[in-house]
Amino acid sequence: MNFQIGLIAKKLGMTQVFKDEGDRVPVTVLHVTGNTVTAHRTVERDTYTALQVGFAEKKASRASKPEKGAAEAAKVGTFYVHKEFRVPATALAAHPVGSQLGADLFKEGARVDVTGTSKGKGYQGVIKRHNMEGEKNSHGQHEFFRHGGSIGCRKTPGRVHRGKRMTGHMGHERVTLQNLEIIKIDAERGLILVRGPIPGANNEFVTIRAAVKPAIKAGNNKA
């Protein structure tokens, strides 16, 4: 489990930046301004420690009564998105309820893990969904070009094996890309530029947190 602190971000799109050596680097622009600590999770009350972060503030008139009650008790605003980040107990004291988390939480050149929801592709066939080759389009072949082929095993075991690659819904899945490099940080505008693409469409919400694999190697991934 990743016990590194993170942020909720809005994916704005992709662009490119040029390094001093002249190398062109494709980057995804993430907007992180507005991350607010809305609650603490403690061992005494919740059996674990975590920071609850809210992002994308919304009008109180559009919030439900439970949301308003929780916001008034914590003396914070209401938000469209909430996320819990499992962190060590020391992080709770460093980030009290109501405090802001910004792009300066990370440094340029750092490695991060980004989690988002991939684009939905709807119901797709086996060629698009599983990269199957399809049937030959030669003489004698007709009306059977993009099918999946045989799926059964005859009498034994007399059923289709679990996990058989077939047609079905494609995309719209939770996807995490690990060890992405932060190319540039614009703290004033609340922007983080991450190398390469990340899952999801533009204007969707993603989470970005310090990479777990380097933390495990360094022995820093502890609750």
Side-chain angles (χ1 to χ4, degrees):
M1 181 177 292
N2 193 341
F3 292 102
Q4 308 301 307
I5 194 170
L7 299 171
I8 307 172
K10 185 177 183 179
K11 178 181 175 180
L12 300 184
M14 291 195 68
T15 184
Q16 59 188 14
V17 296
F18 290 88
K19 291 188 173 182
D20 297 335
E21 300 82 6
D23 297 333
R24 183 180 64 178
V25 182
V27 295
T28 300
V29 183
L30 303 177
H31 185 256
V32 298
T33 299
N35 278 269
T36 305
V37 179
T38 56
H40 285 172
R41 299 289 181 257
T42 61
V43 175
E44 295 77 15
R45 184 186 61 197
D46 307 294
T47 70
Y48 67 97
T49 57
L51 288 176
Q52 186 191 77
V53 179
F55 183 70
E57 191 169 0
K58 65 179 176 181
K59 297 180 180 179
S61 60
R62 296 183 178 180
S64 64
K65 287 185 178 181
E67 290 176 334
K68 291 180 182 178
E72 292 174 359
K75 297 182 180 179
V76 296
T78 53
F79 300 89
Y80 281 102
V81 185
H82 287 87
K83 170 71 177 178
E84 281 191 8
F85 294 97
R86 295 286 295 270
V87 295
T90 55
L92 301 183
H95 304 286
V97 176
S99 61
Q100 298 288 321
L101 303 177
D104 54 359
L105 193 65
F106 301 103
K107 297 181 180 180
E108 293 184 0
R111 296 286 176 168
V112 293
D113 297 341
V114 180
T115 302
T117 303
S118 63
K119 293 181 180 180
K121 304 294 184 180
Y123 193 95
Q124 296 296 334
V126 293
I127 292 182
K128 182 177 178 69
R129 191 183 187 205
H130 300 297
N131 298 316
M132 290 188 179
E133 184 178 359
E135 297 292 335
K136 296 180 180 179
N137 193 359
S138 58
H139 292 290
Q141 185 79 3
H142 60 90
E143 302 163 1
F144 201 89
F145 303 103
R146 298 177 64 89
H147 293 221
S150 175
I151 62 173
C153 295
R154 302 183 72 174
K155 186 175 181 179
T156 304
R159 59 182 172 83
V160 179
H161 288 295
R162 188 187 301 272
K164 179 68 177 177
R165 295 185 300 169
M166 300 174 65
T167 61
H169 186 269
M170 181 180 177
H172 195 68
E173 296 176 333
R174 178 184 171 93
V175 180
T176 299
L177 297 183
Q178 295 184 315
N179 288 333
L180 302 181
E181 180 185 1
I182 295 180
I183 300 298
K184 187 176 181 180
I185 293 178
D186 189 341
E188 293 184 0
R189 296 194 292 173
L191 300 178
I192 298 178
L193 277 61
V194 180
R195 177 190 286 269
I198 64 172
N202 293 345
N203 298 319
E204 287 193 355
F205 298 112
V206 300
T207 58
I208 175 174
R209 61 196 311 176
V212 65
K213 288 182 177 178
I216 292 175
K217 291 181 180 179
N220 299 327
N221 191 52
K222 299 179 181 179

